[in-house]
Amino acid sequence: MTHDDQKGPESTESAKPPTPARLRRERERAEARESILSAARDVARRDGWDAVTMRRLADEIEYSANFAYRYFTGRDDILLALVREGFARLREAMTTAAEGQADTAVEAVRRASHAYLDFALAEPDVYQLMYGLGGVRVPATDAWDEGQAVGDVLTGLLAAAGDSEPERHVLRLWATAHGLIALLVVGRVGVDADGLHALLEDALTDCLTRALPAAHTPGPSPEPTQRTPQTP
């Protein structure tokens, strides 16, 4: 008996291309999940994360109270999905900023760092949930890989620029950017989005001067994709 002969019916079935009916079901499932996640973001934006409950979401999307349970095991499952999605979009924003506009490796570091700050300013509610600033915490270990992937963007960019200790400098830059956002959330800084970007640029210049002495000349502060400050 050959190896192929030993394959059971399940293996044969999984190897078949998906049927139109299956593709339709998968598309409808993805759309339903997104409608629930979108409703959760809307509720949190208006009333905070504590207001996000399964019953409230059912009211928002005008379905029965059990509708959301077809796609999520409960409220915590929805919050975790939002955190993972948030990290994925943050990573994509940083990668796009670094690859699409930067002329040098050092400029790529600057643009990716400012893109991080832009994301937090544009989506404060999601950012707060991602990092436990909104009063509702999702265990960091549950989305550890997704969060680590965000740091890996800067680590890779710094290494490409010649940094011999990229992990150390990423930690420093992240602490600065996250600290500025946290201070903004609790109302401890009286600056707008441009002011926060200027403070981050100062930290970038200082960090890059230490990490990359041969490329320490400060560059112009890049134009971020979002400049509208939002009060969480």
Side-chain angles (χ1 to χ4, degrees):
M1 180 181 290
T2 66
H3 178 72
D4 288 340
D5 292 334
Q6 295 174 357
K7 290 182 179 179
E10 260 185 49
S11 297
T12 304
E13 185 67 26
S14 62
K16 294 180 179 179
T19 64
R22 178 182 172 186
L23 291 173
R24 184 180 65 254
R25 288 194 300 271
E26 291 176 351
R27 182 175 65 252
E28 290 172 349
R29 176 179 175 80
E31 290 172 352
R33 283 178 60 90
E34 179 52 36
S35 70
I36 294 167
L37 295 178
S38 179
R41 288 190 292 266
D42 290 342
V43 171
R45 192 176 299 114
R46 295 195 305 266
D47 302 317
W49 289 108
D50 285 333
V52 177
T53 64
M54 299 300 276
R55 182 172 295 278
R56 177 71 180 275
L57 294 179
D59 292 340
E60 286 286 318
I61 57 181
E62 299 181 344
Y63 276 88
S64 69
N66 292 326
F67 176 77
Y69 284 104
R70 299 179 191 174
Y71 306 98
F72 297 96
T73 59
R75 176 175 181 266
D76 289 347
D77 193 24
I78 291 174
L79 297 182
L80 177 58
L82 287 167
V83 167
R84 286 174 170 166
E85 178 196 67
F87 278 126
R89 289 192 292 113
L90 174 55
R91 180 182 183 277
E92 181 180 359
M94 294 171 66
T95 301
T96 299
E99 293 178 350
Q101 302 176 12
D103 296 326
T104 66
V106 172
E107 182 66 12
V109 174
R110 291 182 183 276
R111 289 193 175 276
S113 300
H114 283 284
Y116 179 100
L117 190 57
D118 281 330
F119 180 91
L121 292 170
E123 301 195 47
D125 303 292
V126 173
Y127 183 89
Q128 288 177 49
L129 180 65
M130 289 161 58
Y131 289 104
L133 297 175
V136 176
R137 296 187 62 84
V138 173
T141 52
D142 290 351
W144 183 264
D145 290 342
E146 292 84 354
Q148 187 66 35
V150 171
D152 289 344
V153 174
L154 276 182
T155 300
L157 292 173
L158 281 168
D163 188 354
S164 61
E165 297 181 287
E167 292 87 358
R168 175 187 175 189
H169 296 125
V170 166
L171 182 59
R172 182 181 177 191
L173 289 174
W174 176 66
T176 300
H178 181 70
L180 289 171
I181 297 160
L183 289 171
L184 178 67
V185 168
V186 298
R188 292 293 183 180
V189 291
V191 296
D192 60 9
D194 288 329
L196 289 179
H197 277 283
L199 289 170
L200 178 59
E201 184 62 27
D202 288 344
L204 276 164
T205 297
D206 184 50
C207 183
L208 291 171
T209 298
R210 296 171 183 272
L212 306 166
H216 69 275
T217 303
S221 182
E223 290 297 327
T225 56
Q226 296 287 338
R227 283 297 198 188
T228 303
Q230 300 187 26
T231 303

